[in-house]
Amino acid sequence: MSNITRFDPFNDLVDDLFKGFLVRPMGYERREAVAPRMKVDVAEKNGAYLVTAEIPGVKKEDIQVSIDGAQVTLSAEVKREREATQDERVLHVERAYGKAMRSFTLPQELDEAKVEAKYRDGVLELTLPKKAAAARKQITIQ
């Protein structure tokens, strides 16, 4: 099971600006690559939710989308392209690889049969139609 972390754009910006300045010298930095992050936008239009997720470096065959009621789960695996050879020394690594997962709950249940998905240039676009609400039935008391 993967760890779920909260996305905090401010801390990421600060981390990127000051990385290496206060703690380590700017030269050689060796750290293990962390799991890739999936950035997601959700909008609502014409009785459907529009989800846009940035998943760069992933083939569409390596992306899974699952829907359970109003819960949407996106998972993808970014595969490492190649390993360092014996005569090669890696000086810096920023590109992340591994399995990334995002799960969120929308306000209304989804009609799974009408879901549409498109993936192009590292961006996944989902159209998630809302399930029609059951008609309210008035009960007569006898």
Side-chain angles (χ1 to χ4, degrees):
M1 192 74 187
S2 72
N3 293 333
I4 297 176
T5 58
R6 177 169 284 198
F7 175 66
D8 187 356
F10 180 73
N11 280 340
D12 289 346
L13 176 66
V14 172
D15 287 348
D16 288 344
L17 287 175
F18 295 108
K19 185 183 297 178
F21 282 110
L22 302 174
V23 179
R24 298 181 201 119
M26 283 256 327
Y28 177 74
E29 178 184 334
R30 182 174 177 112
R31 68 181 178 116
E32 294 297 318
V34 295
R37 291 193 182 174
M38 206 179 299
K39 297 178 183 177
V40 177
D41 294 337
V42 180
E44 186 176 5
K45 181 179 178 183
N46 297 332
Y49 297 105
L50 306 174
V51 176
T52 305
E54 290 181 0
I55 316 174
V58 178
K59 296 178 183 174
K60 70 178 183 178
E61 296 83 24
D62 295 330
I63 300 172
Q64 293 84 34
V65 178
S66 62
I67 298 170
D68 184 17
Q71 184 173 357
V72 179
T73 302
L74 307 175
S75 62
E77 186 168 2
V78 179
K79 297 181 180 173
R80 190 170 197 166
E81 294 176 9
R82 65 180 186 89
E83 295 291 326
T85 60
Q86 199 169 23
D87 61 340
E88 179 180 37
R89 185 176 75 154
V90 177
L91 299 177
H92 185 74
V93 175
E94 286 186 1
R95 296 185 308 152
Y97 59 91
K99 190 158 181 124
M101 181 183 288
R102 283 295 295 269
S103 186
F104 50 91
T105 303
L106 296 169
Q108 193 171 339
E109 286 196 22
L110 306 171
D111 188 353
E112 298 170 17
K114 296 180 183 176
V115 170
E116 295 178 15
K118 297 176 188 171
Y119 183 69
R120 187 179 68 213
D121 298 331
V123 178
L124 176 67
E125 295 177 354
L126 299 173
T127 303
L128 307 170
K130 297 176 185 177
K131 190 175 274 189
R136 296 181 84 183
K137 182 179 178 184
Q138 183 69 29
I139 307 292
T140 55
I141 301 174
Q142 297 181 2

